[in-house]
Amino acid sequence: MRSHLFSQFLLAALISGQVFLGAASWELPLFTAPPRAVLDAAAQIAVPPGADVAAIDLNVMLHLDTEGRLHWTQRSVSRVLTAAGVRQLSTVTAPWAPWRQNRPKIQVRVIGPDGAAHLLSDAAITEAGIPARLVAGIFSDRKILSAPLPAIQAGAVVEMEVEQEDREALLPGGQFGQFPL
């Protein structure tokens, strides 16, 4: 099963600031395309005045197996336009349920306006419990991975991939998931 959905970070950015959604499709491969080619391609996308972030490409792939386990991959390419855009895209997060899911895999490459590429280091990713105040006072064993994006600044292009995979099905033969909109 494959489906395209809006991501949590993009929707949060839409609510908190000015985000331009580009209509063009992104043809370059993430993480392996030459940095200068990425910057040049991102610069070709016209952005209206006042936008803080240009969400160039967003792709969410879902695969539900016959046992009800979900494999979820979100890939995105964004161009940071302003200081407000830097604040919106300064951190990557991935919540998960350790009792039934594998630890999420996070991969990020930030390409600065000078063409220098900066990869997110695994050492920069922290793991913590989700505070009860964030989930209506309910204590949970859910965890969240988070990391600051390296060298994030106005004019940078951010390539991001977050991958999550169930070890155990929450509902055998089916799936219950949350995809915040």
PDB file of all heavy atoms in Angstrom, residues 1-4 59-64:
ATOM      1  N   MET A   1       0.845  -1.151   0.000  1.00  0.00           N
ATOM      2  CA  MET A   1       0.000   0.000   0.000  1.00  0.00           C
ATOM      3  C   MET A   1       0.906   1.234   0.000  1.00  0.00           C
ATOM      4  O   MET A   1       1.759   1.394   0.833  1.00  0.00           O
ATOM      5  CB  MET A   1      -0.874   0.000   1.256  1.00  0.00           C
ATOM      6  CG  MET A   1      -1.558   1.335   1.478  1.00  0.00           C
ATOM      7  SD  MET A   1      -2.037   1.626   3.177  1.00  0.00           S
ATOM      8  CE  MET A   1      -3.683   1.053   3.131  1.00  0.00           C
ATOM      9  N   ARG A   2       0.712   2.111  -0.962  1.00  0.00           N
ATOM     10  CA  ARG A   2       1.481   3.355  -1.019  1.00  0.00           C
ATOM     11  C   ARG A   2       0.519   4.519  -1.040  1.00  0.00           C
ATOM     12  O   ARG A   2      -0.498   4.490  -1.691  1.00  0.00           O
ATOM     13  CB  ARG A   2       2.366   3.374  -2.252  1.00  0.00           C
ATOM     14  CG  ARG A   2       3.498   2.388  -2.115  1.00  0.00           C
ATOM     15  CD  ARG A   2       4.477   2.583  -3.212  1.00  0.00           C
ATOM     16  NE  ARG A   2       5.506   1.590  -3.010  1.00  0.00           N
ATOM     17  CZ  ARG A   2       6.764   1.818  -3.219  1.00  0.00           C
ATOM     18  NH1 ARG A   2       7.177   2.963  -3.626  1.00  0.00           N
ATOM     19  NH2 ARG A   2       7.642   0.877  -2.998  1.00  0.00           N
ATOM     20  N   SER A   3       0.870   5.530  -0.341  1.00  0.00           N
ATOM     21  CA  SER A   3       0.011   6.689  -0.259  1.00  0.00           C
ATOM     22  C   SER A   3       0.873   7.914   0.002  1.00  0.00           C
ATOM     23  O   SER A   3       1.908   7.824   0.620  1.00  0.00           O
ATOM     24  CB  SER A   3      -0.997   6.500   0.881  1.00  0.00           C
ATOM     25  OG  SER A   3      -1.803   7.636   1.013  1.00  0.00           O
ATOM     26  N   HIS A   4       0.430   9.061  -0.466  1.00  0.00           N
ATOM     27  CA  HIS A   4       1.141  10.309  -0.218  1.00  0.00           C
ATOM     28  C   HIS A   4       0.350  11.111   0.811  1.00  0.00           C
ATOM     29  O   HIS A   4      -0.825  11.341   0.662  1.00  0.00           O
ATOM     30  CB  HIS A   4       1.289  11.108  -1.508  1.00  0.00           C
ATOM     31  CG  HIS A   4       2.117  10.401  -2.521  1.00  0.00           C
ATOM     32  ND1 HIS A   4       3.490  10.364  -2.458  1.00  0.00           N
ATOM     33  CD2 HIS A   4       1.790   9.649  -3.588  1.00  0.00           C
ATOM     34  CE1 HIS A   4       3.952   9.646  -3.458  1.00  0.00           C
ATOM     35  NE2 HIS A   4       2.937   9.198  -4.149  1.00  0.00           N
ATOM     36  N   ASN A  59       7.365  13.164   0.191  1.00  0.00           N
ATOM     37  CA  ASN A  59       6.933  11.845  -0.246  1.00  0.00           C
ATOM     38  C   ASN A  59       6.843  10.960   0.987  1.00  0.00           C
ATOM     39  O   ASN A  59       7.812  10.819   1.721  1.00  0.00           O
ATOM     40  CB  ASN A  59       7.962  11.297  -1.240  1.00  0.00           C
ATOM     41  CG  ASN A  59       7.544  10.001  -1.855  1.00  0.00           C
ATOM     42  OD1 ASN A  59       7.043   9.110  -1.186  1.00  0.00           O
ATOM     43  ND2 ASN A  59       7.770   9.884  -3.144  1.00  0.00           N
ATOM     44  N   VAL A  60       5.676  10.388   1.223  1.00  0.00           N
ATOM     45  CA  VAL A  60       5.487   9.453   2.320  1.00  0.00           C
ATOM     46  C   VAL A  60       5.054   8.126   1.726  1.00  0.00           C
ATOM     47  O   VAL A  60       4.081   8.071   0.972  1.00  0.00           O
ATOM     48  CB  VAL A  60       4.438   9.948   3.343  1.00  0.00           C
ATOM     49  CG1 VAL A  60       4.222   8.915   4.442  1.00  0.00           C
ATOM     50  CG2 VAL A  60       4.871  11.274   3.939  1.00  0.00           C
ATOM     51  N   MET A  61       5.808   7.078   2.026  1.00  0.00           N
ATOM     52  CA  MET A  61       5.496   5.745   1.517  1.00  0.00           C
ATOM     53  C   MET A  61       5.114   4.855   2.683  1.00  0.00           C
ATOM     54  O   MET A  61       5.827   4.791   3.683  1.00  0.00           O
ATOM     55  CB  MET A  61       6.693   5.171   0.773  1.00  0.00           C
ATOM     56  CG  MET A  61       7.038   5.963  -0.471  1.00  0.00           C
ATOM     57  SD  MET A  61       8.630   5.499  -1.166  1.00  0.00           S
ATOM     58  CE  MET A  61       9.731   6.301  -0.018  1.00  0.00           C
ATOM     59  N   LEU A  62       3.992   4.175   2.557  1.00  0.00           N
ATOM     60  CA  LEU A  62       3.506   3.269   3.582  1.00  0.00           C
ATOM     61  C   LEU A  62       3.421   1.871   2.992  1.00  0.00           C
ATOM     62  O   LEU A  62       2.914   1.698   1.885  1.00  0.00           O
ATOM     63  CB  LEU A  62       2.110   3.685   4.062  1.00  0.00           C
ATOM     64  CG  LEU A  62       1.952   5.102   4.577  1.00  0.00           C
ATOM     65  CD1 LEU A  62       0.493   5.423   4.806  1.00  0.00           C
ATOM     66  CD2 LEU A  62       2.736   5.280   5.849  1.00  0.00           C
ATOM     67  N   HIS A  63       3.903   0.897   3.748  1.00  0.00           N
ATOM     68  CA  HIS A  63       3.760  -0.502   3.332  1.00  0.00           C
ATOM     69  C   HIS A  63       3.202  -1.269   4.514  1.00  0.00           C
ATOM     70  O   HIS A  63       3.815  -1.311   5.587  1.00  0.00           O
ATOM     71  CB  HIS A  63       5.098  -1.093   2.895  1.00  0.00           C
ATOM     72  CG  HIS A  63       4.978  -2.530   2.511  1.00  0.00           C
ATOM     73  ND1 HIS A  63       5.189  -3.549   3.401  1.00  0.00           N
ATOM     74  CD2 HIS A  63       4.612  -3.115   1.347  1.00  0.00           C
ATOM     75  CE1 HIS A  63       4.987  -4.702   2.799  1.00  0.00           C
ATOM     76  NE2 HIS A  63       4.629  -4.465   1.556  1.00  0.00           N
ATOM     77  N   LEU A  64       2.046  -1.861   4.335  1.00  0.00           N
ATOM     78  CA  LEU A  64       1.404  -2.647   5.369  1.00  0.00           C
ATOM     79  C   LEU A  64       1.495  -4.109   4.964  1.00  0.00           C
ATOM     80  O   LEU A  64       0.995  -4.501   3.911  1.00  0.00           O
ATOM     81  CB  LEU A  64      -0.066  -2.223   5.499  1.00  0.00           C
ATOM     82  CG  LEU A  64      -0.882  -2.832   6.623  1.00  0.00           C
ATOM     83  CD1 LEU A  64      -0.306  -2.451   7.978  1.00  0.00           C
ATOM     84  CD2 LEU A  64      -2.330  -2.370   6.510  1.00  0.00           C
TER      85      LEU A  64
END
